[in-house]
Amino acid sequence: MSLKLNTKYLEGFVSGEDLGKLKPETEKALSFFYENKSSAPGNDFHGWRTLPEDYDKKEFAEIKAAAEKIRNDSDILIVIGIGGSYLGARAVIEFCKSKNYNLLPGAKPQIFFLGNSLSPTEITEVLSLTKDKDFSVNVISKSGTTTEPSVAFRIFKRRLVEKYGEKQANERIYVTTDRSKGILRREADENSWKSFVIPDDVGGRYSVLTAVGLLPIACAGIDIDKLMKGARDAMNDLKERDVEKNQACRYAAIRNILLRKGKFVEMMVCYEPDYTMMNEWFKQLFGESEGKENKGILPYSGIYSTDLHSLGQYVQEGERILFETLVSFKEPKCDITIEKEENNGDGLNFLAGRKLSYVNKTASQGVILAHTDGSVPNIILELDRMDEENLGYLIYFLEFSCGVSGYILGVNPFNQPGVEAYKKNMFALLGKPGYESQTEKLRARL
Ligand code: PA5
């Protein structure tokens, strides 16, 4: 098993008795993936659960071939998508490669993520980067109608045609969308763009292990077989039906117990900056899955020790509404030994001969003791290495935990009705056909 749920620092916050009391609800939540599936809310979006085994092998090979072509003919890949059609790919690339991936020697293609905001500055900047470079575009949208990626795609489609002419431009567009529905599917078919499918039964925030994530990830030179293998290992481990032995069920139960004790905010923390975008992916996964019907834990995040110097004060002494989930890796990607200095001008010789990873680890130990003393319960998810297999395991573990946790909470973890509210207002304010009846009313409120 490559992930260990360490509950040592929950002492005094979550007891065996608490877990025992929640056991029937946890068992019921788990049964929604098995014998009670037909009555499970959102059961038409359970496809992610068997994906590490049941994925489309033919398409998987095509993803690898497309990635190879892009790696050969493009200096830059523009990945256009938002939310679940964006965060997973970026999180995996930055975690497995580096947060500074685009600056690393031999980073070909460089990968830029657009269509996740409406900022003209961001688009203008990346447009200027493509001026003298060969580039391709991977546009990702399940609905095919989301405004942010649609606008960015229109701009980059035009840029491709200006640079390469229509025929060659069409060979540099890769579409990931629904199998049969939506504007993007229609455009892809009409123009013979190479396209990949987002399965019907996999929702956006659960889609990183489909072509949504896999194509950009493979373009970055990351081993997608290993990523799937890690996820498959987790899937097999989490087939455990005893909720006391199933680590994802235990994590899900602990979260709900803490919530019921007034811990409304879960702060996922990691001592590795390359985890930054994984935090963002986690926030979408849990926030969009659980935040509904006036319920849910607010997912929050931090990179330590960086954020100890900005948020540390609040965590230690602010409102006691927080718990932390520390994602910890036994081995760093690489290490540095701190050298001795003859004059010890900076007073750091007490660390001479120590590895920087040891200092980082020791910081985390000091923090856990301080934060638990300050009434911040700490859950630890321990993994071995920062590699594809461990990450695939963690991704599946968090997805599974999120499903079980949402069911314990009593919501449908697989819909996102609240995301539509802002879209309707934006469309009405922009005068989109079909939304005009609300335009004046909304403008009057501004
Ligand atoms: O998880 C979700 O369903 C959302 O975050 C979507 O991924 C996001 O809104 C983008 O939607 P689409 O892929 O349809 O453009």
Side-chain angles (χ1 to χ4, degrees), residues 4 6 9 251 266-271 275 304 323-329 361 364-365 367-368 377-383:
K4 184 173 165 246
N6 177 344
Y9 300 97
Y251 172 49
E266 176 177 23
M267 189 162 173
M268 177 163 275
V269 298
C270 184
Y271 285 72
Y275 196 83
Y304 287 171
F323 66 96
E324 287 173 312
T325 298
L326 166 65
V327 179
S328 159
F329 297 93
K361 178 89 195 157
S364 81
Q365 291 166 337
V367 169
I368 285 180
N378 262 255
I379 302 169
I380 311 180
L381 306 180
E382 292 174 349
L383 292 119

Side-chain angles (χ1 to χ4, degrees), residues 82-85 141-144 146 149 204-205 284 288 416 423:
I82 194 166
S85 294
S141 176
K142 187 164 188 191
S143 62
T146 309
R205 58 191 173 275
Q284 187 202 359
E288 228 169 62
Q416 55 284 328
K423 290 187 193 168

Side-chain angles (χ1 to χ4, degrees), residues 201-212:
D201 56 359
V202 180
R205 58 191 173 275
Y206 282 84
S207 68
V208 57
L209 299 176
T210 70
V212 169

Side-chain angles (χ1 to χ4, degrees), residues 18-309:
D18 293 328
L19 282 162
K21 276 194 200 144
L22 199 70
K23 194 172 169 189
E25 286 172 68
T26 313
E27 284 173 338
K28 184 173 175 217
L30 184 60
S31 76
F32 278 150
F33 293 110
Y34 296 101
E35 62 275 13
N36 290 330
K37 188 172 161 72
S38 60
S39 57
N43 58 8
D44 44 344
F45 283 98
H46 281 188
W48 57 272
R49 204 178 63 76
T50 50
L51 198 60
E53 203 163 62
D54 289 347
Y55 62 92
D56 180 340
K57 312 289 182 304
K58 184 169 165 281
E59 182 178 76
F60 195 78
E62 286 173 19
I63 289 171
K64 285 184 181 171
E68 203 43 44
K69 177 176 177 297
I70 294 169
R71 284 167 68 75
N72 284 326
D73 72 9
S74 305
D75 304 307
I76 288 177
L77 172 67
I78 311 286
V79 180
I80 295 177
I82 194 166
S85 294
Y86 153 60
L87 287 163
R90 184 161 175 192
V92 174
I93 292 169
E94 295 198 2
F95 178 88
C96 291
K97 290 284 179 180
S98 162
K99 178 169 185 271
N100 299 316
Y101 163 74
N102 283 337
L103 300 175
L104 296 180
K108 182 173 181 285
Q110 291 182 312
I111 299 176
F112 295 100
F113 291 90
L114 288 180
N116 54 72
S117 81
L118 290 163
S119 160
T121 313
E122 196 176 38
I123 292 186
T124 306
E125 193 176 276
V126 179
L127 268 175
S128 76
L129 294 175
T130 60
K131 198 162 167 275
D132 303 314
K133 299 268 171 75
D134 280 316
F135 75 101
S136 297
V137 172
N138 177 204
V139 56
I140 308 167
S141 176
K142 187 164 188 191
S143 62
T145 53
T146 309
T147 310
E148 292 89 340
S150 299
V151 169
F153 184 45
R154 177 180 277 214
I155 294 166
F156 278 87
K157 226 173 5 183
R158 174 180 283 246
R159 168 53 66 94
L160 276 170
V161 173
E162 280 165 6
K163 194 173 170 104
Y164 297 103
E166 203 157 325
K167 186 171 172 300
Q168 270 196 51
N170 285 342
E171 287 164 14
R172 287 180 173 271
I173 294 174
Y174 300 81
V175 175
T176 309
T177 190
D178 188 87
R179 188 182 305 279
S180 54
K181 294 189 295 283
I183 296 173
L184 197 52
R185 166 54 57 201
R186 203 181 60 220
E187 255 196 305
D189 291 346
E190 279 171 10
N191 294 290
S192 305
W193 294 331
K194 179 74 195 155
S195 67
F196 299 96
V197 171
I198 310 176
D200 287 343
D201 56 359
V202 180
R205 58 191 173 275
Y206 282 84
S207 68
V208 57
L209 299 176
T210 70
V212 169
L214 295 176
L215 179 58
I217 291 167
C219 285
I222 291 166
D223 190 332
I224 57 174
D225 286 298
K226 287 190 180 157
L227 191 70
M228 294 303 269
K229 154 102 175 46
R232 205 159 42 248
D233 288 348
M235 183 187 80
N236 289 329
D237 288 347
L238 298 177
K239 282 178 184 160
E240 172 64 61
R241 292 299 308 275
D242 180 344
V243 296
E244 287 174 21
K245 291 192 189 137
N246 183 313
Q247 299 201 92
C249 289
R250 285 186 68 217
Y251 172 49
I254 289 164
R255 297 177 79 252
N256 278 277
I257 291 165
L258 289 170
L259 175 64
R260 290 175 196 187
K261 292 187 179 189
K263 302 294 183 189
F264 301 112
V265 180
E266 176 177 23
M267 189 162 173
M268 177 163 275
V269 298
C270 184
Y271 285 72
E272 288 290 346
D274 285 346
Y275 196 83
T276 304
M277 288 305 297
M278 272 302 291
N279 271 338
E280 299 307 309
W281 175 83
F282 152 81
K283 285 194 275 197
Q284 187 202 359
L285 180 65
F286 280 80
E288 228 169 62
S289 298
E290 294 192 317
K292 48 199 73 154
E293 299 172 34
N294 298 334
K295 298 182 192 170
I297 296 169
L298 174 67
Y300 188 50
S301 69
I303 293 296
Y304 287 171
S305 61
T306 316
D307 294 328
L308 291 170
H309 295 258

